[in-house]
């Protein structure tokens, strides 16, 4: 006398595992990127494009060289970075806030508070 055994189809489980494995790379794409920029300031003015574009959530790194000492102030995020030539300075932050933010230069004396570049954080 034989007992009937339930026979769960092993192929069905295998197919589910394949489906999960296929989804994993898609989840990876949504992870935050780490964009890196290099900018050069001459006389407090940027050479090239004055707008850096990143995505919200990115870990952003901006390497800055300048021919004169100054302090960069990223408004909105309220981050200050001192630039002391000839060493490059690093402005690093996590782009949590979306929007267009000016980076000011702060130097001693009047009239030295103006935007040298902009950082656009796109949602
Ligand atoms: Cu400022």
């Amino acid at each position: 006398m034989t007992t009937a055994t339930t026979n769960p189809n092993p192929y069905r489980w295998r197919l589910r595992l394949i489906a999960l494995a296929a989804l994993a790379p898609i989840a990876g794409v949504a992870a935050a990127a780490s964009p890196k920029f290099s900018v050069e300031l001459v006389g407090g003015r940027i050479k090239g494009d004055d707008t850096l574009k990143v995505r919200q959530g990115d870990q952003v790194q901006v390497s800055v060289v300048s021919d004169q000492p100054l302090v960069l102030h990223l408004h909105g995020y309220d981050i200050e970075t001192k630039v002391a030539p000839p060493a490059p300075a690093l402005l690093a932050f996590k782009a949590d806030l979306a929007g267009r933010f000016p980076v000011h230069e702060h130097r001693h004396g009047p009239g030295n508070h103006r935007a040298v570049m902009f950082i656009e954080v796109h949602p």
Side-chain angles (χ1 to χ4, degrees):
M1 189 172 168
T2 58
T3 51
T5 55
T6 53
N7 184 22
N9 185 349
Y11 292 102
R12 192 176 291 174
W13 287 103
R14 196 172 292 176
L15 284 174
R16 282 191 196 170
L17 286 176
I18 290 168
L20 285 174
L23 285 173
I26 297 170
V29 169
S34 304
K36 294 181 173 67
F37 301 91
S38 291
V39 303
E40 184 180 353
L41 301 176
V42 177
R45 299 190 182 273
I46 195 167
K47 289 177 81 176
D49 193 354
D50 72 349
T51 300
L52 310 181
K53 294 174 183 168
V54 302
R55 291 224 152 263
Q56 193 169 16
D58 282 355
Q59 193 67 49
V60 183
Q61 292 188 10
V62 185
S63 175
V64 182
V65 290
S66 171
D67 64 341
Q68 52 193 241
L70 47 85
V71 173
L72 294 178
H73 180 206
L74 172 56
H75 281 245
Y77 286 81
D78 208 20
I79 295 169
E80 283 195 347
T81 302
K82 194 179 267 185
V83 187
L90 187 65
L91 176 63
F93 64 99
K94 189 170 192 299
D96 288 323
L97 302 170
R100 179 175 163 89
F101 303 96
V103 178
H104 282 168
E105 65 153 330
H106 292 182
R107 279 185 288 175
H108 289 295
N112 287 319
H113 185 232
R114 57 176 190 82
V116 296
M117 61 178 160
F118 299 88
I119 295 180
E120 284 184 8
V121 180
H122 294 255

